[in-house]
Amino acid sequence: MQNRNKWISVSLMVFLCGLVSNMEGQQLPVGAVDPSSEQENGKLTLWYEQPANKWVEALPIGNGRLGAMIFGGTKEERLQLNEDTLWNGQPHDYAHEGAVRYLPAIRDLLAEGKQRQAEALAMEQFMSVPLRQKAYQPLGDLLLDFPGHNEVQNYRRQLDLASAVATVTYKVGDVTYKREIFSSAPDQVIVLRITADKKGAINFRATMRSPHAGSILHVLSKDQLALRGQIEDGVVTFEARLAVRTDGGQVEITDKGVEIVDADSATLLLAAAGSVKNYKDVSADPAELCSQVIQTLQHKMYDAIRKDHIADYRQLFSRVSLDLGITESASLPTDQRIKAFSEGKDPHLAVLYFQFGRYLMIAGSRPGCQPLNLQGIWNESKTPPWDSKYTTNINAEMNYWPAESCNLAECHLPLFDLIKDVSQTGERVAKEHYNCRGWVLHHNTDMWRGTAPINASDHGIWVTGGAWLCQHLWWHYEFSSDEQFLREQAYPIMKGAALFFVDFLTPDPKTGWLISTPSNSPENGGLVAGPTMDHQIIRNLFSNCIAASRKLNVDADLREKLEQMKEKIAPNQIGRHGQLQEWLEDKDDPKNTHRHVSHLWGVCPGEEITLRGTPKLSAAAKQSLIFRGDGGMGWSKAWKINLWARFEDGDHAYKMLSILISTGTYPNMFDDCPPFQIDGNFGGISGIAEMFLQSHTGKIHLLPALPGAWPDGSLQGLCARGAFVVDLKWKNNTLSQATIYSKKGNPCKVTYKDKTIDIPTTAGQRYVLNSLLELNPQK
Ligand code: FUC
């Protein structure tokens, strides 16, 4: 899937699959206009009365790999461009040869309580080479200049989530101008169309530029211009190619740009590509790739490109709808609504936020593309925060928390490609650093799939990044029941991750428990032996491997070994403040409001600590969460929404959502970490989904954490483990109807309040339940 030549065929294939079978259990033919979403049309819109001044006010579009931030200026329009494989650096093996010689000494120092010495030794002898990984890079800008469009009236800039089309409209004198902009997955281009309500009124200049030194414009033909360059501090080359079409008027093209004079309408098609084929191979030809895209579209008119884009997008987007009621506040521009959200008068803004998160996932993560990094695919800086990498001690995973539950399983696939890559590069790190079988990934990876510990030993040496990612493979199986996926893709990688820990886990000299050492509780407290989070993650990995190998009827010996070892791993412990201990020792500081809540992993996204299954541990985990407080960065607040939803405290989950939106969201709805980091958006919407539906305990739990703020509402299309799709209606805080669609015919356990029922289901059938969980099967 990493091969760049495949992306066109992959997205076409996905699109065609969508046409022939609707896998999601929605009754509509795929691609058909969903009347409810048409009604929603006006409502699911981010809109503004002014152009964007700052990047975090601009509106994002994307087709999975090709993204743009639209500023919507009248005199000057800027589309800041990204292509998802443009990184600095080059294919590289980051393993530190011979690091393993120092492992016993580091472990011994930790066991003797000499943390600083252990960190110093590790810093010298155990870290990635080089110490830092590489950064995700911007491509450049498409710039338009409209002479005379200084004084305008009736300005409106919007992004319609129902169609994934951005629009800018305004009036100059007596002419109304309109720009429509979108990034098409089926046709792999960004399209910008300019129209006016008077003939011959369109005059503008267009050009492209890149922040990478040496990038040059080339005139390719009378209607095609290319921007070619090479990423600074690296080997990746790229091209952006602009093809211009007009009705009426003239087009003049030079190596400065394109000038359009007196046209009735103009359409710009922008293709872009980089030279990365995969993490090992940078020999793709960007010019050839762009040329293929533009040539394929030679005879395809704007309306057809737009229609295919919307149909392709909608077959993903329209699977889920959410209604929490509409108030007067919903008619305000989006930036004003965000500012006022904490007043509690605008439930629909939560709907907009939720659907914007789903939009971002569709725009930033399509099969065959790179997975969402810290900024998704949107980045304008050559030195972005944390290099806009894949941080695996919460951020990369959080990006994909809503993929399955929010009915976008296909968008999960790019992450699996990355997991496959790091399972390859991580084998060498497992050998060189630990002399272990299998593979390991520490707290970050990049385009070159670095897996060794980076930055500093006090937080870079954290061994469970790969094991955490494996949870996503298992989720994809749990939500789909796709045994072929489990057998061919997921299990071999999960097994490799588990083999690493079979060799790595070490008996604690004090307690005899098997512990993870050296490691850390992400970014809190430095290098340690036996952080609680590691043990929760490793138990989860072992449990999932045990279940998978049983399901697939393979590896009975390994299964037995994992079962035995799992029992010996250091258990969750309750400490003297009534907290869940973050470490082996009872040393938590109840005043520590650190942004990470790592030891609560077992509550969410893990599932070993549950309200009813392990009530004492659950109460301790809740106490820890109370100590940590309601603050933190965007992703931290978002994590807390999910945790409070798991504690079935809807009001506290809502409070966290309210804090996230009103204090941590930019005018364009991007998460303000600060600065912008997209994980908060995805963690936020995963939390919203968890408030309505949970399925991690073997049951489909309806409305487990419905907040008082949303007494009436309905939703369609959320997914549950076991391959079920769920619709819900509620009134006065009480369930009125639930419909469960069974995709695969698995047995289904449903719970609401104190009632639970078992439904033996048939694939393709819907089951309608009332508030007492009484069943009326519908044929
Ligand atoms: C984790 C966090 C930081 C930041 C970084 C990208 O390391 O602790 O706050 O979000 O990821």
Side-chain angles (χ1 to χ4, degrees):
M1 291 293 242
Q2 293 294 322
N3 188 330
R4 305 305 296 163
N5 294 328
K6 280 191 189 162
W7 45 252
I8 299 174
S9 56
V10 168
S11 53
L12 270 177
M13 194 181 76
V14 169
F15 174 61
L16 291 174
C17 288
L19 286 177
V20 287
S21 74
N22 183 346
M23 306 170 288
E24 303 68 41
Q26 303 298 295
Q27 285 145 324
L28 286 166
V30 176
V33 175
D34 175 353
S36 62
S37 98
E38 279 294 286
Q39 267 171 26
E40 280 280 280
N41 234 337
K43 301 180 211 156
L44 286 181
T45 302
L46 280 68
W47 72 276
Y48 307 84
E49 293 171 320
Q50 67 287 330
N53 271 320
K54 300 188 192 126
W55 190 85
V56 286
E57 294 169 5
L59 291 169
I61 56 166
N63 63 9
R65 53 172 285 275
L66 195 52
M69 295 292 286
I70 302 164
F71 282 67
T74 56
K75 167 92 175 64
E76 281 163 11
E77 171 65 289
R78 176 181 175 208
L79 267 64
Q80 185 269 312
L81 305 169
N82 284 104
E83 201 277 353
D84 70 351
T85 61
L86 302 189
W87 286 66
N88 58 24
Q90 59 188 309
H92 181 74
D93 171 10
Y94 291 90
H96 189 140
E97 227 176 285
V100 68
R101 288 200 297 272
Y102 300 89
L103 178 64
I106 296 167
R107 276 185 172 153
D108 288 349
L109 286 169
L110 287 174
E112 291 160 21
K114 297 178 179 158
Q115 186 191 48
R116 293 292 162 241
Q117 287 98 315
E119 286 175 356
L121 177 61
M123 201 59 197
E124 261 174 45
Q125 307 291 355
F126 206 77
M127 304 302 286
S128 167
V129 183
L131 192 56
R132 296 191 184 274
Q133 292 174 354
K134 293 299 176 180
Y136 180 51
Q137 294 293 304
L139 192 168
D141 297 296
L142 170 64
L143 300 167
L144 310 185
D145 181 61
F146 296 87
H149 289 208
N150 304 332
E151 298 291 316
V152 308
Q153 285 120 38
N154 300 352
Y155 180 89
R156 184 178 163 109
R157 174 172 64 103
Q158 71 168 41
L159 175 64
D160 174 26
L161 302 183
S163 62
V165 175
T167 312
V168 179
T169 46
Y170 57 87
K171 219 169 162 182
V172 181
D174 58 353
V175 184
T176 299
Y177 290 91
K178 179 174 178 185
R179 291 174 217 151
E180 278 196 332
I181 312 162
F182 58 87
S183 183
S184 158
D187 288 321
Q188 289 298 319
V189 276
I190 289 177
V191 185
L192 186 151
R193 177 165 172 84
I194 303 168
T195 52
D197 62 358
K198 291 242 161 27
K199 277 194 171 294
I202 294 172
N203 292 283
F204 67 98
R205 287 186 290 269
T207 192
M208 294 181 286
R209 69 174 180 201
S210 171
H212 299 287
S215 306
I216 289 178
L217 284 176
H218 297 262
V219 177
L220 302 181
S221 68
K222 62 180 179 10
D223 56 8
Q224 278 188 43
L225 188 68
L227 172 71
R228 290 184 180 151
Q230 180 164 344
I231 299 295
E232 281 172 35
D233 178 28
V235 300
V236 176
T237 60
F238 61 85
E239 171 165 326
R241 187 173 299 201
L242 190 67
V244 183
R245 298 171 181 179
T246 53
D247 292 319
Q250 293 102 45
V251 178
E252 201 172 310
I253 194 158
T254 68
D255 61 3
K256 301 269 174 308
V258 187
E259 181 151 14
I260 283 101
V261 181
D262 296 342
D264 301 337
S265 71
T267 304
L268 307 183
L269 303 178
L270 188 135
S275 59
V276 176
K277 282 188 174 172
N278 59 50
Y279 75 93
K280 295 183 269 201
D281 183 350
V282 290
S283 67
D285 179 351
E288 178 56 28
L289 291 167
C290 289
S291 166
Q292 278 171 20
V293 169
I294 298 293
Q295 259 178 25
T296 311
L297 294 177
Q298 215 175 3
H299 302 294
K300 190 162 178 180
M301 293 297 104
Y302 174 76
D303 286 346
I305 298 174
R306 186 182 189 279
K307 188 164 159 259
D308 288 353
H309 158 68
I310 293 176
D312 166 74
Y313 168 78
R314 272 204 184 146
Q315 64 92 11
L316 292 163
F317 184 77
S318 65
R319 291 172 187 174
V320 178
S321 65
L322 175 62
D323 181 2
L324 299 174
I326 289 269
T327 56
E328 230 172 82
S329 311
S331 58
L332 293 171
T334 308
D335 42 355
Q336 295 177 29
R337 294 175 71 184
I338 292 169
K339 274 192 197 146
F341 186 69
S342 60
E343 291 165 21
K345 295 183 201 142
D346 191 1
H348 181 263
L349 190 70
V351 175
L352 192 65
Y353 186 85
F354 176 76
Q355 292 291 28
F356 179 64
R358 294 186 65 250
Y359 165 86
L360 287 177
M361 182 160 289
I362 301 169
S365 189
R366 294 292 198 102
C369 303
Q370 295 302 309
L372 297 153
N373 62 46
L374 286 173
Q375 297 190 183
I377 57 170
W378 298 278
N379 165 39
E380 77 164 334
S381 170
K382 287 193 285 183
T383 52
W386 292 283
D387 306 314
S388 200
K389 297 192 294 290
Y390 300 98
T391 306
T392 49
N393 65 15
I394 173 64
N395 321 87
E397 291 90 351
M398 181 177 276
N399 280 353
Y400 285 95
W401 283 0
E404 300 291 335
S405 60
C406 294
N407 215 333
L408 294 172
E410 296 90 330
C411 297
H412 214 169
L413 302 185
L415 184 69
F416 305 157
D417 294 336
L418 177 140
I419 299 174
K420 185 167 185 197
D421 292 347
V422 291
S423 76
Q424 293 166 359
T425 56
E427 254 184 47
R428 201 170 122 64
V429 173
K431 264 267 156 304
E432 285 298 333
H433 291 242
Y434 302 99
N435 195 25
C436 291
R437 291 170 295 169
W439 63 278
V440 63
L441 163 66
H442 294 81
H443 94 299
N444 262 280
T445 190
D446 62 4
M447 181 68 235
W448 317 113
R449 307 315 191 220
T451 49
I454 65 161
N455 296 358
S457 59
D458 64 356
H459 65 277
I461 301 178
W462 173 74
V463 288
T464 39
W468 188 343
L469 285 174
C470 284
Q471 186 189 36
H472 287 255
L473 297 168
W474 179 247
W475 279 350
H476 189 69
Y477 165 70
E478 281 191 305
F479 278 85
S480 66
S481 267
D482 182 347
E483 212 173 301
Q484 193 183 351
F485 168 80
L486 184 65
R487 182 181 306 107
E488 291 170 11
Q489 294 183 56
Y491 179 68
I493 293 175
M494 290 161 61
K495 178 178 163 184
L499 280 176
F500 173 81
F501 289 104
V502 169
D503 294 351
F504 175 80
L505 287 170
T506 316
D508 174 31
K510 290 200 190 96
T511 60
W513 289 327
L514 288 177
I515 59 166
S516 169
T517 176
S519 195
N520 71 87
S521 192
E523 303 182 33
N524 188 20
L527 194 63
V528 296
T532 299
M533 176 197 235
D534 277 16
H535 302 144
Q536 295 172 343
I537 293 177
I538 297 164
R539 266 193 298 273
N540 180 271
L541 173 68
F542 281 11
S543 300
N544 297 342
C545 282
I546 291 164
S549 69
R550 189 167 285 131
K551 179 87 207 166
L552 300 171
N553 200 16
V554 293
D555 295 333
D557 292 350
L558 176 65
R559 179 159 68 238
E560 202 176 311
K561 175 95 187 155
L562 296 180
E563 276 165 346
Q564 285 166 6
M565 286 185 79
K566 202 182 129 194
E567 294 311 310
K568 295 185 186 143
I569 296 174
N572 291 304
Q573 301 179 78
I574 299 174
R576 66 204 153 115
H577 306 290
Q579 89 284 12
L580 186 70
Q581 285 180 206
E582 184 161 357
W583 297 277
L584 268 184
E585 308 80 16
D586 187 0
K587 60 181 185 186
D588 300 59
D589 172 2
K591 294 207 173 63
N592 182 352
T593 55
H594 196 275
R595 60 193 181 281
H596 284 266
V597 283
S598 305
H599 48 319
L600 307 189
W601 195 95
V603 178
C604 186
E607 50 210 44
E608 69 177 20
I609 300 176
T610 61
L611 204 55
R612 291 177 192 77
T614 57
K616 285 193 182 130
L617 287 174
S618 179
K622 191 163 157 179
Q623 185 58 63
S624 291
L625 183 58
I626 292 166
F627 287 146
R628 280 295 216 263
D630 292 340
M633 303 174 102
W635 55 263
S636 177
K637 293 172 195 151
W639 196 345
K640 291 166 187 171
I641 303 173
N642 289 266
L643 287 163
W644 283 112
R646 288 269 167 110
F647 292 131
E648 298 178 23
D649 187 334
D651 288 335
H652 208 134
Y654 177 83
K655 181 183 173 198
M656 291 312 311
L657 176 69
S658 180
I659 295 174
L660 179 71
I661 294 182
S662 51
T663 68
T665 301
Y666 288 111
N668 68 354
M669 275 209 167
F670 270 170
D671 177 62
D672 175 8
C673 187
F676 164 51
Q677 206 168 285
I678 208 161
D679 40 23
N681 286 98
F682 294 119
I685 75 163
S686 155
I688 294 173
E690 287 275 324
M691 288 158 86
F692 298 124
L693 190 76
Q694 295 176 16
S695 62
H696 61 287
T697 60
K699 299 171 189 166
I700 298 183
H701 194 165
L702 308 177
L703 302 178
L706 187 65
W710 300 333
D712 306 320
S714 67
L715 64 83
Q716 279 96 42
L718 288 187
C719 295
R721 290 166 181 80
F724 299 107
V725 185
V726 179
D727 300 347
L728 297 173
K729 285 185 192 151
W730 63 97
K731 234 181 167 26
N732 300 326
N733 293 98
T734 305
L735 179 75
S736 40
Q737 193 183 72
T739 306
I740 295 170
Y741 175 80
S742 172
K743 290 203 234 179
K744 294 281 173 72
N746 288 324
C748 179
K749 209 182 248 310
V750 185
T751 189
Y752 175 65
K753 294 203 165 149
D754 54 354
K755 287 209 163 46
T756 300
I757 60 153
D758 286 291
I759 315 174
T761 75
T762 305
Q765 280 275 20
R766 262 163 223 284
Y767 301 85
V768 181
L769 304 166
N770 62 16
S771 61
L772 302 172
L773 300 189
E774 290 161 343
L775 185 65
N776 295 302
Q778 273 191 351
K779 298 284 165 200

